[in-house]
Amino acid sequence: METPKLNALRDQINDIDEKMLQLLEQRFAIVKEVGMVKQAANLPVKDEAREQAVLTRLRGQVTDPSLKPAIQAIFQTIMDEAKKLE
Ligand SMILES: C=C(O[C@@H]1C=C(C(=O)O)C=C[C@H]1O)C(=O)O
């Protein structure tokens, strides 16, 4: 089913998805560089302390508290995928 309002909202979602896609591609490109730096320095891929710091910092910036679990899960998934690329 489509209505003008639904279409307009989905257009907004499409725009946001495209921006997120670009940012994710940028993030994963940097992650690959991090992987090379770690490999050269004989460091392990996973850094639990860094992951917790990332999650804590971002959780502190979420304006709507009801979104915190979703945001945490999304960023944990991003970091899990990042580790596969390193
Ligand atoms: C990118 C890194 O490697 C891993 C991935 C992280 C991430 O995607 O933010 C964070 C910590 C590491 O487990 C890093 O150490 O900075």
Side-chain angles (χ1 to χ4, degrees), residues 35-68:
M36 288 189 275
V37 170
K38 283 182 183 173
Q39 214 170 2
N42 258 320
L43 291 169
V45 167
K46 180 169 177 161
D47 184 336
E48 181 63 30
R50 167 67 183 162
E51 290 192 20
Q52 289 310 314
V54 169
L55 293 175
T56 300
R57 181 172 55 82
L58 294 177
R59 257 201 321 266
Q61 293 180 30
V62 179
T63 48
D64 177 349
S66 73
L67 299 179
K68 282 189 182 189

Side-chain angles (χ1 to χ4, degrees), residues 2-81:
E2 290 188 16
T3 72
K5 178 70 181 171
L6 184 57
N7 288 339
L9 291 169
R10 285 178 174 169
D11 283 345
Q12 287 183 56
I13 288 175
N14 287 347
D15 287 345
I16 291 168
D17 286 348
E18 281 156 30
K19 287 179 189 145
M20 289 198 301
L21 176 62
Q22 285 179 9
L23 291 172
L24 283 170
E25 288 212 39
Q26 281 179 33
R27 192 185 198 280
F28 285 133
I30 293 169
V31 157
K32 286 182 179 179
E33 285 190 59
V34 169
M36 288 189 275
V37 170
K38 283 182 183 173
Q39 214 170 2
N42 258 320
L43 291 169
V45 167
K46 180 169 177 161
D47 184 336
E48 181 63 30
R50 167 67 183 162
E51 290 192 20
Q52 289 310 314
V54 169
L55 293 175
T56 300
R57 181 172 55 82
L58 294 177
R59 257 201 321 266
Q61 293 180 30
V62 179
T63 48
D64 177 349
S66 73
L67 299 179
K68 282 189 182 189
I71 299 285
Q72 163 133 0
I74 288 164
F75 277 94
Q76 186 62 66
T77 298
I78 290 170
M79 291 192 288
D80 289 344
E81 293 302 321

